[in-house]
Amino acid sequence: GVDRIWGHQFSMHTNMTSVSIPDTVTAIDNYAFAFCDSLVSITLPAGITTLPTNVFAKCTSLKSINLNKVTSLGYRAFEGCTSLVTVALPETLDTLPNNMFGACISLRDVSLSSLTKSIGYYAFSYCRNLRNINVGNALVDDQAFMGCETLAS
């Protein structure tokens, strides 16, 4: 069976609305689904623990994703996903890389793990509808929330 989704394999597929990745897949490469502007939802198998750089960047219709057992995210993994509203990050994820949710203008609610250790620069930059986020004891870059106009706490 298929065990890997290669870099750019599905990027720019403008008519793809949902993806269910088989349990046999254990690796997804950079930009695999980037610029899929009709992609609304994706289901990741439990075997996926790493999502690389720009894997879902500019998927402007993506509304939700279950990160399941992801332990590592590449920078800009969800940058420019302008329809993404709510994100629950798994306990297994302890670092939010640079630009992870940059320009996700619809993002309102984020649940961080109490185990989150660091939030990189521009991680939530220009998420202008982000209202609340509890960063706990995480080390937060001073530019992590740049342009978050409605952030209350």
Side-chain angles (χ1 to χ4, degrees), residues 34-80:
F35 306 101
C36 291
D37 58 9
S38 297
L39 186 62
V40 175
S41 65
I42 187 155
T43 304
L44 296 174
I48 297 293
T49 57
T50 300
L51 289 177
T53 300
N54 290 303
V55 66
F56 296 107
K58 309 286 190 205
C59 290
T60 56
S61 297
L62 187 65
K63 294 186 184 313
S64 66
I65 187 165
N66 180 350
L67 293 176
N68 223 341
K69 302 215 185 281
V70 172
T71 58
S72 175
L73 286 166
Y75 67 92
R76 295 184 170 146
F78 298 96
E79 184 180 46

Side-chain angles (χ1 to χ4, degrees), residues 24-41:
T24 56
V25 173
T26 57
I28 300 175
D29 291 343
N30 294 347
Y31 294 91
F33 295 96
F35 306 101
C36 291
D37 58 9
S38 297
L39 186 62
V40 175
S41 65

Side-chain angles (χ1 to χ4, degrees), residues 108-141:
R108 277 186 254 157
D109 300 300
V110 177
S111 299
L112 290 181
S113 161
S114 60
L115 304 176
T116 301
K117 295 177 185 167
S118 67
I119 300 173
Y121 69 85
Y122 305 132
F124 295 94
S125 63
Y126 300 102
C127 293
R128 61 180 182 227
N129 287 303
L130 185 61
R131 297 178 295 196
N132 296 297
I133 186 169
N134 182 354
V135 297
N137 293 323
L139 178 64
V140 181
D141 183 274

Side-chain angles (χ1 to χ4, degrees), residues 79-95:
E79 184 180 46
C81 293
T82 56
S83 296
L84 197 60
V85 175
T86 303
V87 174
L89 299 170
E91 290 285 324
T92 53
L93 186 66
D94 67 357
T95 300

